[in-house]
Structures are given as structure tokens and as C-alpha cells.
Amino acid sequence: MNVETKPDENYPLWIVLLSNSVSLLIYGIGSFILWGLGTASALLYLAYCLSLELRLLKMSCVNCYYYGKTCAFGKGKLASIFLKKGDPKRFIEKDISWRDMLPDMMVLILPLAGGILHLIIDFSWLIPGLLVALVLLSLGGNAFIRGSLACKRCKQRELGCPAEQLFSQSDKKTSKEGVDE
């Protein structure tokens, strides 16, 4: 962690609003793209996104340092309203891999596949624009939120975060590969 970046006990509201806006835009664009294939596909996609959010609250947020506090996504407060506090050791001891990230990646992959299908069935210039926006928000927007606003200021990261460990392993492999060349 940078010397000048101290962890936040409670994140400022503007970070919570910005981070949730990115997620909601991703969900909204994804469901709009899939809506072109039928209302049921859009509703199933939204239900899938909601199930991921609920899983996160139930499996991670209840065990996080920010339970009852305002994290970068506001979910620590939300979890404390609806769910009983878990065990912080479970958060730290959790081990995740890229395979564990697949359900989250499906939030992007499903509308991409649906958008390509939509273009084959009934071409519209709106769909490629929405697909580009979806990719930019999913990859660039999330990278900015997590890299510049959320993770740098996170107390849980200092205590132990399985996602940070996964991504720092990736960074180390990339750096190591660059040295070997």
C-alpha cells in the first residue's frame, strides 16, 4: 500500500455512488442488449446479476472488515441490515482462483454473446455501440474503480483479501515473464 494512501474506515459517498453506477450501467446495458432477444432473456440476466450480488453479500460481505461500515460499494452497511455478521477469519482464509471469477465474468460474456446473436438475426448499429460501452465499462470502468478508488484505500486489503492475492499473483507472473524475455 502506498505510504500516502491510508485506508478508509468509511468510504465517501461519492465513491459508493460512482462504483455502483458503473455496476448498474453494466447490468442495464447487458439487459438492454439481451432484451433484443426477448424479454425473458433480459429478465433472466437481471435475475442472474441479482443472484451474484446476493451471493457476494452472503458469502463475503458478512465476513469483511467493512461489515456495518461503508465500503467502496456500500455493501458492508447493506449486509449488516439484512444478514448476521460472519467470521472475519473466513474472509481472510478464503482462497479464490480464476475459475471462481467465472460467474462474475458471465455478466459481460452473456450480453456479448447475446449481442453478437442479435447482430446476426437483426443488425442494428445501436448494438455494436452498446457492446463497446459494455466492454469499456466492464474492463476499464471496473479496473479504474477497483485500482484507483476501492482497493488502494481498503482496510480489508491490509488484513488479507483473496482477490488482491489473486490479482497480485497475476501481476508478479506478468512482471516475471517480462524479465525473462
Side-chain angles (χ1 to χ4, degrees), residues 2-164:
N2 291 340
V3 176
E4 66 237 28
T5 307
K6 287 193 231 174
D8 285 322
E9 278 298 310
N10 286 290
Y11 280 76
L13 183 60
W14 70 270
I15 291 179
V16 176
L17 293 174
L18 184 61
S19 61
N20 283 303
S21 295
V22 168
S23 294
L24 291 173
L25 276 170
I26 290 168
Y27 300 159
I29 292 170
S31 63
F32 185 82
I33 290 168
L34 291 170
W35 180 57
L37 299 176
T39 306
S41 56
L43 291 176
L44 285 171
Y45 175 76
L46 288 173
Y48 179 74
C49 294
L50 180 62
S51 73
L52 290 178
E53 293 291 338
L54 293 174
R55 180 187 72 157
L56 181 67
L57 287 171
K58 202 171 167 183
M59 304 304 285
S60 295
C61 297
V62 296
N63 300 317
C64 181
Y65 173 82
Y66 286 96
Y67 178 87
K69 299 176 181 171
T70 306
C71 69
F73 304 92
K75 293 179 180 153
K77 281 254 195 233
L78 189 62
S80 70
I81 293 170
F82 297 106
L83 300 165
K84 185 180 161 195
K85 184 170 177 58
D87 182 1
K89 286 182 185 177
R90 290 187 72 196
F91 193 98
I92 296 168
E93 293 170 354
K94 185 190 278 186
D95 190 29
I96 63 171
S97 68
W98 285 105
R99 185 180 314 161
D100 298 316
M101 302 281 297
L102 184 60
D104 296 311
M105 289 186 249
M106 294 303 288
V107 170
L108 171 61
I109 294 169
L110 291 171
L112 280 177
I116 292 168
L117 182 61
H118 187 279
L119 288 172
I120 293 168
I121 295 169
D122 182 28
F123 185 85
S124 163
W125 283 106
L126 178 63
I127 300 302
L130 289 173
L131 290 173
V132 168
L134 182 66
V135 168
L136 290 175
L137 282 168
S138 295
L139 302 178
N142 275 325
F144 171 74
I145 295 295
R146 291 177 193 324
S148 298
L149 301 178
C151 298
K152 277 186 176 181
R153 306 163 68 133
C154 182
K155 180 73 172 175
Q156 183 63 60
R157 180 177 175 211
E158 286 183 345
L159 301 173
C161 174
E164 193 271 335

